[in-house]
Amino acid sequence: MTGSNAVEGFSFGQIARLSGIKPRTLDHWAATGFLVPSIKKAGGTGTRRVYSFSDLVAARVVKELRSAGASLQGLRKVVKALRRREFAENLGEAQLIVSGKDVYLQDHHDLISMLRRPGQIHFPFTVLDLGATIRALRSKVEKIEAA
C-alpha cells in the first residue's frame, strides 16, 4: 500500500480505524449505499470489502462534517461532489466550511456552495482543512505500511 495509489486498498477494519468511524456505522453506510467501497464491494457473507484512499478521505470528511452539524442528506451531496473531483491533489489546498445548513468548498479565492446556491454565507461556521486531513491520513497509512 502506498498512499493514494494503493492497488490493494484498505480493509474494512483499516477504514474504521483510520477514519474514526464505528464499524457498525461504516457497515450501515455500505449497506445503504451512502459510503460504499470503490475497489471491491461485499459479495455476501464472508467476502471482503476493499476501500480506496479516496474512500478513506470521504469517510473521514463525513465523520468530521457530521460532528460539525451537517445533515446526512447534505453529506451525501458533499461526498458525491468531492468524489467527482476524485479528491485530487488540488483539494489538499482546499477547506470545507460548514455554515448553517450549507457546506462550502473554499478553493483559493472561491467559496463554492456544495448544497445551496453559491454566495449564501451564514455565520458562525466550521472550517475543515482537507489538506490537513489528507496529510494526517497519509501519515497513518505510512505507519501501517512500515509495521
Side-chain angles (χ1 to χ4, degrees):
M1 240 183 301
T2 55
S4 62
N5 296 325
V7 175
E8 65 272 9
F10 299 91
S11 70
F12 175 83
Q14 288 173 318
I15 291 291
R17 202 169 40 256
L18 291 167
S19 69
I21 296 173
K22 294 179 183 175
R24 289 186 81 159
T25 301
L26 192 59
D27 191 46
H28 175 71
W29 288 351
T32 60
F34 175 57
L35 188 63
V36 296
S38 60
I39 295 178
K40 183 179 175 192
K41 298 175 185 167
T45 305
T47 59
R48 184 176 168 231
R49 295 182 194 135
V50 182
Y51 293 82
S52 68
F53 185 76
S54 179
D55 296 333
L56 172 60
V57 173
R60 182 64 169 268
V61 166
V62 166
K63 180 184 185 298
E64 293 190 27
L65 289 178
R66 188 72 177 132
S67 296
S71 71
L72 282 175
Q73 181 181 7
L75 291 175
R76 287 182 190 275
K77 292 177 184 178
V78 170
V79 168
K80 189 175 184 178
L82 291 174
R83 282 188 183 235
R84 276 195 305 268
R85 293 172 175 254
E86 297 179 357
F87 293 98
E89 288 301 318
N90 64 343
L91 280 181
E93 302 297 320
Q95 295 180 332
L96 291 177
I97 302 170
V98 179
S99 176
K101 294 185 183 229
D102 204 349
V103 176
Y104 298 89
L105 174 67
Q106 182 184 11
D107 187 10
H108 303 289
H109 299 292
D110 297 324
L111 187 63
I112 304 163
S113 171
M114 301 201 64
L115 302 179
R116 297 174 184 252
R117 293 186 307 253
Q120 291 183 341
I121 300 174
H122 304 279
F123 294 97
F125 58 84
T126 301
V127 176
L128 172 60
D129 185 343
L130 288 176
T133 298
I134 289 170
R135 285 188 298 277
L137 289 171
R138 283 201 174 121
S139 175
K140 288 182 179 184
V141 168
E142 288 170 6
K143 288 178 184 176
I144 289 173
E145 291 173 349

